[in-house]
Amino acid sequence: MKILSKTKDKLEIVILQPQTADFLYAGAAFLAGSLVSWNVIPDTLFFVFSLVFCLAGSYTLIDDTYVLRMDKQQVQIEKTKFGMIQYQRVAHIDELVQVHVKNLHEKRQQWQLQLEFMSDFGYYQMPCHETLFIDPKPLQEIKKIINKWADLKEMPEWMKEEHLKKTFPHPPNI
């Protein structure tokens, strides 16, 4: 986690970015794949194809960069890899209700930071990253920063979507 800028009008946080170990793993995988290809494949054309597959496989080992940008109008989550934008998710800041750090699996420790919004059509959640964390502590820090910057309070139990579904069940289709 790295805070790029934090003013009263704008907040930018890098949630996840590639580390040195990612590049070392990718380099080791490419080197191992190319050495095996060199010793096994006698044909030059197939060797070149094998190198391309090794390069593509090692490319997937490098983490993406996820940047969360918030201003007084919108929330934007941007996913980039090597400077190229792969996608951007945008939502209105007025609809932001809560920030969650969720454990996605009961048996395994896989944590994700999610922003919860409430629009005219109901609640929706927007994950801030696709790579799952083993340790929730950095995500808890980001949650505190966002809650303080956006001045969010804990949502009462009676306002949560699960409680509303129990209280007001949908009528049967007639």
Side-chain angles (χ1 to χ4, degrees), residues 12 23 33 35 109 161:
E12 284 188 50
F23 294 105
L35 288 176
Q109 295 293 315
E161 186 176 13

Side-chain angles (χ1 to χ4, degrees), residues 31-43 46-47 49-51 54:
L31 182 64
S34 60
L35 288 176
V36 168
S37 299
W38 179 266
N39 289 327
V40 173
I41 301 174
D43 190 14
F46 288 125
F47 175 69
F49 285 138
S50 175
L51 283 181
C54 290

Side-chain angles (χ1 to χ4, degrees), residues 103 105-109:
N103 188 3
H105 298 283
E106 293 178 12
K107 296 181 182 178
R108 292 178 263 156
Q109 295 293 315

Side-chain angles (χ1 to χ4, degrees), residues 30-117:
F30 179 74
L31 182 64
S34 60
L35 288 176
V36 168
S37 299
W38 179 266
N39 289 327
V40 173
I41 301 174
D43 190 14
T44 307
L45 183 63
F46 288 125
F47 175 69
V48 170
F49 285 138
S50 175
L51 283 181
V52 169
F53 283 119
C54 290
L55 186 63
S58 62
Y59 175 80
T60 61
L61 294 174
I62 299 173
D63 278 335
D64 301 318
T65 302
Y66 295 92
V67 179
L68 172 67
R69 291 185 179 92
M70 301 174 82
D71 57 24
K72 292 300 178 183
Q73 294 179 353
Q74 68 180 7
V75 176
Q76 176 184 1
I77 298 170
E78 182 177 275
K79 175 184 175 183
T80 60
K81 190 164 213 166
F82 298 121
M84 296 182 297
I85 297 173
Q86 294 183 341
Y87 68 73
Q88 290 179 339
R89 296 177 178 157
V90 180
H92 291 285
I93 192 79
D94 298 337
E95 297 176 351
L96 181 62
V97 179
Q98 203 168 16
V99 181
H100 297 287
V101 176
K102 284 194 170 182
N103 188 3
L104 298 181
H105 298 283
E106 293 178 12
K107 296 181 182 178
R108 292 178 263 156
Q109 295 293 315
Q110 294 182 344
W111 297 88
Q112 186 178 46
L113 183 70
Q114 294 183 349
L115 303 177
E116 185 172 357
F117 297 90

Side-chain angles (χ1 to χ4, degrees), residues 140-151:
Q140 293 288 352
E141 291 176 23
I142 295 172
K143 177 183 175 180
K144 288 178 187 174
I145 292 169
I146 293 172
N147 282 339
K148 185 176 178 184
W149 185 85
D151 198 27

